[in-house]
């Protein structure tokens, strides 16, 4: 890929040029944290950020949405129509979209948003909680990221990874260079990356390992980790009707396997009655079942679950114990 250069001062103009066609979302500062939000003059993107609290999952698979409704007895499916452009995504978050696609591609609400979407990545500065290398998520996936921005002096060198991206580079705001790359990776400093296949194999022998008691001992079942995780996508559905029975709707909303009711079935039986069962389920789904189904873990090592766990539970450290346990 040969990159083109854009001056830092022209990035805002480039993003404004997309605003007619897309809702442009990027990382903005909010108090002491960063979050993905709509970019405008009052909320400019900040590209030098460690990680956002919530990933872009909140747009692709919103915390609450109406799936369909009946109005005066007439059925209407609520398929989303917005076109989203994400700017400033780190390589782990782009890999998370690829893995979310594996699980949710056949979901009509997800794919309606995903279909016309634009992905623009940026180089990251990994922190001590990052373990993308261990999760095979430290390389820019092929053919997914439309444009990737790399800081260079007073501007960015921008590489196109798709046809859509190549067309965007035709804007006069981008200038020719001879800077080429064959692949783009995050500079993750994990000294001894985990082997996720070894972790996957360990589940066959670890189900009754006392390690689970030790690891789950501090877990509050608070749902923080599953909420901030770009690859936790479980939801529940609820039907509501207004006073007149011909007006009703079905909504879905994020759910979490750390909650007791998540695995409660008709008749009141609870399949995972204690916190150890629920804690083990998070890991089993991410590092065993998802790998069985899709060949990769439902984790990209973004570190959010580590940073936002109120009990100080470190998923990477736990995986290290399981790998050898
Ligand atoms: S499990 Fe933790 S580190 Fe892995 S993707 Fe989810 S939030 Fe990030
Ligand atoms: S954030 Fe920490 S305490 Fe809360 S459910 Fe997850 S592992 Fe347990």
């Amino acid at each position: 890929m040969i990159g083109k250069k854009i001056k830092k001062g022209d990035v805002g103009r480039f993003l404004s040029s997309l605003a007619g066609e897309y809702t442009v979302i990027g990382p903005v500062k909010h108090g002491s944290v960063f979050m993905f939000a709509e970019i405008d003059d009052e909320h400019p993107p900040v590209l030098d950020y460690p990680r956002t609290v919530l990933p872009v999952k909140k747009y692709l698979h919103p915390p609450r949405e109406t799936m369909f409704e009946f109005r005066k007895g007439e059925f209407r499916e609520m398929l989303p129509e917005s076109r989203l452009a994400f700017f400033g995504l780190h390589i782990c978050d782009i890999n998370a979209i690829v893995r979310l696609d594996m699980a949710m591609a056949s979901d009509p609400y997800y794919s309606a948003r995903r279909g016309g979407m634009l992905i623009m990545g940026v180089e990251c500065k990994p922190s001590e909680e990052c373990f993308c290398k261990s999760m095979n998520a430290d390389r820019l996936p092929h053919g997914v990221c439309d444009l990737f921005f790399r800081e260079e002096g007073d501007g960015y060198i921008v590489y196109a990874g798709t046809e859509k991206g190549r067309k965007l580079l035709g804007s006069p705001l981008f200038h020719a260079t001879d800077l080429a790359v064959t692949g783009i990776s995050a500079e993750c400093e994990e000294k001894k990356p985990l082997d996720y296949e070894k972790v996957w194999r360990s589940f066959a022998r670890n189900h009754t390992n006392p390690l689970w008691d030790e690891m789950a001992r501090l877990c509050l079942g608070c749902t923080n980790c599953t909420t901030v995780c770009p690859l936790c996508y479980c939801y529940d559905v609820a039907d509501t009707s207004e006073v007149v029975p011909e007006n009703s709707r079905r909504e879905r909303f994020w759910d979490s396997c750390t909650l007791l009711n998540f695995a409660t079935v008709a008749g009141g039986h609870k399949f995972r009655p204690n916190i150890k069962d629920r804690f083990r389920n998070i890991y089993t789904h991410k590092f065993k079942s998802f790998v069985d189904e899709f060949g990769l873990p439902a984790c990209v090592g973004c570190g959010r679950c580590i940073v936002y766990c109120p009990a100080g539970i470190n998923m990477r450290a736990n995986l290290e114990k399981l790998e050898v346990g």
Side-chain angles (χ1 to χ4, degrees), residues 230-290:
L231 282 158
C232 280
Y233 48 87
C234 288
Y235 62 86
D236 201 353
V237 295
D239 293 339
T240 49
S241 41
E242 294 168 16
V243 184
V244 279
E246 64 268 26
N247 286 355
S248 58
R249 66 180 172 280
R250 175 165 293 174
E251 290 179 302
R252 68 175 176 185
F253 42 87
W254 288 356
D255 203 352
S256 171
C257 62
T258 67
L259 296 172
L260 180 61
N261 280 345
F262 184 87
T264 303
V265 291
H269 181 73
K270 298 176 195 321
F271 276 102
R272 290 190 279 274
N274 57 56
I275 195 69
K276 183 179 89 175
D277 297 327
R278 304 200 285 282
F279 186 88
R280 185 173 50 203
N281 181 66
I282 305 175
Y283 287 68
T284 308
H285 178 247
K286 288 188 169 301
F287 304 102
K288 169 76 173 79
S289 326
F290 200 92

Side-chain angles (χ1 to χ4, degrees), residues 131 225 228-231 286 298-305 315:
F131 57 104
C225 52
V228 299
C229 178
L231 282 158
K286 288 188 169 301
C299 171
V300 288
C302 71
R304 286 181 176 93
C305 58
M315 181 173 270

